[in-house]
């Protein structure tokens, strides 16, 4: 089967870039070229290039994985996004990525792009755990493997903070204006977070450049949203049918997409609004809404759903008891929020329920369950604290917390073991299936459960009561007890 490589080989029904790829230079470097970047920022950038042009193509960089480079290399950077929804499947080939490479073998090219004056934005999707953040104090976690390595050898960085600081130091020394840093991960105030990270890393390795990084680099915060499961053999087979050729880099995603961005780009930016992006002065209300209502509910579906034997999110939505808890959780999260201007939270919740139930999207609960220790703080604990401060009920947050702790035992209700896939996986080794011990272990993980929750008696009792039923009678029983309000 021929491989995707050029646009003129595509059938007419496949959408394609509306710009001449060779006529546009690289203006962005993106760290973390995975399915989400390809289905989200790359699509918006493609629309921006089609509508308004500019030298805004993307150099994709992965720190360790060679997958994107291996898949996109033979395809001249082209790949397909298949949108799967009620109106069937729609394929669109994206041309915004010039090429993808891997830091190890391509270090010289990556550094050259990062210091080039033409690179005006560096965007990131490296996942919550990729940054090496100290979750309790802000700044860097010196125990994070990449941070530890880069503190010792800052001139040959292997991690996110080390690489960005190195590039900014070289720019400062050469008198080159900085690039804007755009974190596109599901972390609250992701711009401020990455600013604190880089400033702290610089204070430890290049103190004379701290001022440049803290005061001259723009760190706009952003909210990103598009449900994008990991690609599978089915994704590639489906794409092959639509394209008539083979695309090893194809991704599938839902029709919905949202991007809210703080408009602070001193060196300019692509016309992402052409693809539907919303520019704002303050992304925080959007981030809080999405983290609490979408991602928090996802975590509920992941832990409770996985342990009830549901492989996909859509199966969770077909389980009436769980679907009812999903709706309740969205309401509980909504009650902690100030709605972003122009949005109605009840409508947002109703739209989310439809998105979760999309029968064409095979989004694995096990995929979402990954890295719970990095996701729970902003998705569940922050809104739980808000609810507590307002005197609102915390029972839905306590239920998700109990489900996560139960999941961290690493075996399902039938005793089948699974891997947690969490950077703190080792902390759980040997934990007994004892509700109090599980709560204590979770409460003691560094930087995960805020003290104000961990030390609150009512919270502790609410979580432990749910764990008692989950451990003794299984997750399905706990779901019903929660639904009946019987805890
Ligand atoms: C999910 C997110 O895997 C997860 O943790 O909650 O990746 C989610 O699908 C996206 O944020 C949707 O925009």
């Amino acid at each position: 089967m021929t491989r995707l490589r050029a646009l003129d080989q595509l059938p007419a029904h496949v959408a394609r870039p509306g710009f001449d790829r060779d006529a546009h230079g690289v203006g962005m470097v993106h760290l973390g070229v995975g399915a989400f970047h390809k289905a989200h920022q790359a699509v918006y950038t493609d629309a921006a290039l089609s509508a308004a042009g500019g030298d805004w193509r993307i150099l994709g960089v992965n720190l360790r994985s060679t997958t994107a480079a291996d898949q996109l290399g033979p395809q001249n950077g082209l790949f397909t996004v298949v949108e799967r929804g009620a109106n069937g499947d729609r394929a669109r080939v994206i041309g915004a990525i010039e090429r993808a490479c891997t830091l190890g073998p391509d270090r010289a090219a990556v550094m050259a792009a990062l210091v080039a004056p033409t690179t005006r934005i560096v965007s990131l999707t490296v996942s919550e755990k990729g940054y090496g953040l100290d979750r309790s104090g802000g700044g860097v976690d010196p125990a994070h493997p990449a941070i530890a390595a880069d503190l010792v050898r800052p001139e040959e960085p292997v991690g996110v903070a080390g690489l960005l600081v190195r590039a900014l130091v070289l720019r400062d020394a050469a008198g080159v204006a900085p690039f804007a840093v755009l974190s596109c991960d599901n972390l609250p105030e992701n711009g401020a977070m990455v600013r604190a990270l880089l400033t702290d890393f610089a204070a430890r390795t290049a103190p004379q450049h701290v001022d440049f990084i803290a005061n001259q680099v723009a760190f706009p915060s952003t909210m990103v949203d598009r449900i994008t499961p990991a690609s599978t053999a089915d994704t590639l087979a489906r794409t092959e049918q639509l394209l008539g050729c083979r695309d090893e880099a194809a991704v599938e995603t839902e029709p919905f997409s949202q991007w809210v961005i703080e408009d602070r780009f001193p060196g300019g930016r692509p016309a992402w609004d052409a693809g539907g992006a919303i520019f704002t002065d303050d992304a925080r209300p959007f981030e809080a809404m999405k983290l609490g209502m979408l991602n928090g509910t996802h975590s509920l579906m992941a832990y409770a759903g996985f342990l009830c034997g549901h492989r996909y999110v859509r199966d969770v939505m077909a389980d009436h008891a769980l679907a009812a808890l999903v709706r309740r959780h969205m309401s509980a999260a909504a009650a902690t929020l100030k709605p972003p201007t122009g949005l109605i939270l009840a409508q947002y919740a109703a739209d989310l329920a439809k998105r979760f139930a999309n029968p064409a999207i095979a989004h694995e609960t096990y995929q979402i369950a990954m890295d719970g220790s990095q996701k729970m703080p902003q998705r569940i604990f922050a809104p739980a604290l808000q609810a507590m401060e307002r005197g609102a009920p915390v029972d839905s947050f306590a239920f998700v917390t109990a489900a996560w702790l139960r999941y961290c035992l690493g075996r399902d209700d039938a005793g089948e073991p699974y891997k947690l896939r969490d950077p703190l996986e080792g902390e759980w080794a040997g934990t007994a299936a004892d509700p109090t011990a599980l709560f204590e272990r979770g409460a003691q993980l560094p930087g995960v459960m805020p003290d104000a929750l961990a030390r609150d008696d009512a919270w502790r009792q609410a979580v432990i009561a749910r764990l008692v039923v989950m451990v003794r009678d299984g997750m399905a029983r706990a779901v019903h007890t929660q639904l009946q309000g019987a805890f």
Side-chain angles (χ1 to χ4, degrees), residues 68-114:
D70 293 345
Q71 290 173 343
L72 288 169
Q75 298 184 182
N76 194 20
L78 295 171
F79 63 94
T80 315
V81 174
V82 179
E83 274 182 26
R84 310 207 69 214
N87 301 326
D89 294 350
R90 287 180 36 203
R92 170 169 172 186
V93 168
I94 299 298
I97 297 187
E98 190 229 23
R99 69 190 180 97
C101 57
T102 307
L103 179 61
D106 298 310
R107 180 171 290 277
V110 172
M111 285 318 296
L114 286 173

Side-chain angles (χ1 to χ4, degrees), residues 198-209:
L198 300 195
T199 312
D200 186 24
F201 189 87
R204 295 164 188 252
T205 55
Q208 65 279 30
H209 299 282

Side-chain angles (χ1 to χ4, degrees), residues 25-29 55-57 59 107-122 163-164 166-172 174-180 212 267:
V26 167
M28 270 173 78
V29 172
D55 288 332
W56 286 118
R57 291 184 71 205
L59 172 70
R107 180 171 290 277
V110 172
M111 285 318 296
L114 286 173
V115 298
T118 42
T119 298
R120 285 152 291 153
I121 299 174
V122 175
L163 187 62
L164 293 183
R166 179 75 183 152
L168 288 165
V169 162
L170 293 174
R171 287 176 90 109
D172 189 16
V176 174
F179 42 71
F212 178 77

Side-chain angles (χ1 to χ4, degrees), residues 36 186 224-228 290 294-295 298 355 363 367-368 375 379:
F36 183 68
N186 288 314
V224 293
D225 187 11
R226 195 168 209 187
I227 291 172
T228 307
K290 196 243 169 176
L294 191 160
N295 297 114
H298 251 173
R355 292 170 61 196
H363 197 189
Q367 179 185 340
I368 303 168
K375 294 175 175 174
R379 297 178 178 204

Side-chain angles (χ1 to χ4, degrees), residues 3-337:
R3 193 84 178 260
L4 169 65
R5 186 159 174 91
L7 298 171
D8 56 11
Q9 73 190 104
L10 296 171
H13 63 85
V14 174
R16 65 204 70 202
F19 58 95
D20 172 6
R21 296 182 79 221
D22 298 328
H24 299 275
V26 167
M28 270 173 78
V29 172
H30 182 83
L31 303 187
V33 187
F36 183 68
H37 170 68
K38 289 193 279 184
H40 192 274
Q41 303 97 53
V43 174
Y44 284 87
T45 307
D46 208 74
L49 283 161
S50 300
D55 288 332
W56 286 118
R57 291 184 71 205
I58 301 167
L59 172 70
V61 177
N62 282 333
L63 296 175
R64 276 168 291 279
S65 164
T66 57
T67 307
D70 293 345
Q71 290 173 343
L72 288 169
Q75 298 184 182
N76 194 20
L78 295 171
F79 63 94
T80 315
V81 174
V82 179
E83 274 182 26
R84 310 207 69 214
N87 301 326
D89 294 350
R90 287 180 36 203
R92 170 169 172 186
V93 168
I94 299 298
I97 297 187
E98 190 229 23
R99 69 190 180 97
C101 57
T102 307
L103 179 61
D106 298 310
R107 180 171 290 277
V110 172
M111 285 318 296
L114 286 173
V115 298
T118 42
T119 298
R120 285 152 291 153
I121 299 174
V122 175
S123 53
L124 304 101
T125 48
V126 295
S127 89
E128 296 87 342
K129 66 170 178 267
Y131 290 88
L133 268 184
D134 170 0
R135 301 298 289 262
S136 32
V140 302
D141 170 9
H144 183 274
I147 298 282
D150 291 351
L151 286 173
V152 177
R153 289 184 65 193
E155 65 294 336
E156 193 150 329
V158 295
V160 174
L163 187 62
L164 293 183
V165 167
R166 179 75 183 152
L168 288 165
V169 162
L170 293 174
R171 287 176 90 109
D172 189 16
V176 174
F179 42 71
V181 179
L182 183 64
S183 160
C184 300
D185 283 293
N186 288 314
L187 285 158
E189 299 188 54
N190 42 19
M193 172 282 293
V194 75
R195 178 176 184 269
L197 181 84
L198 300 195
T199 312
D200 186 24
F201 189 87
R204 295 164 188 252
T205 55
Q208 65 279 30
H209 299 282
V210 168
D211 181 58
F212 178 77
I213 293 174
N215 299 318
Q216 292 191 46
V217 181
F219 294 97
S221 284
T222 182
M223 179 268 249
V224 293
D225 187 11
R226 195 168 209 187
I227 291 172
T228 307
S231 295
T232 62
D234 281 350
T235 312
L236 303 191
R238 213 172 348 256
T239 309
E240 190 170 312
Q241 291 238 308
L242 289 162
L243 252 54
C245 61
R246 185 78 181 163
D247 176 358
E248 294 290 342
V251 290
E252 55 188 14
T253 188
E254 61 175 342
F256 180 90
S257 183
Q258 194 173 34
W259 197 5
V260 181
I261 316 166
E262 291 178 354
D263 200 2
R264 289 187 276 114
F265 296 90
R269 56 155 171 82
W272 285 315
D273 35 343
I278 299 166
F279 288 103
T280 179
D281 292 341
D282 184 4
R284 283 176 299 184
F286 294 92
E287 293 171 345
M289 173 182 78
K290 196 243 169 176
L291 284 168
M293 293 180 69
L294 191 160
N295 297 114
T297 309
H298 251 173
S299 294
L300 160 65
M301 292 193 279
Y303 301 120
F306 180 86
L307 290 169
C308 284
H310 298 311
R311 177 154 183 205
Y312 299 116
V313 168
R314 65 190 183 202
D315 306 331
V316 176
M317 294 305 285
D319 173 328
H320 295 301
L322 269 169
L325 290 191
V326 160
R327 282 191 291 275
R328 278 195 207 170
H329 188 80
M330 290 195 282
S331 303
T336 68
L337 296 167

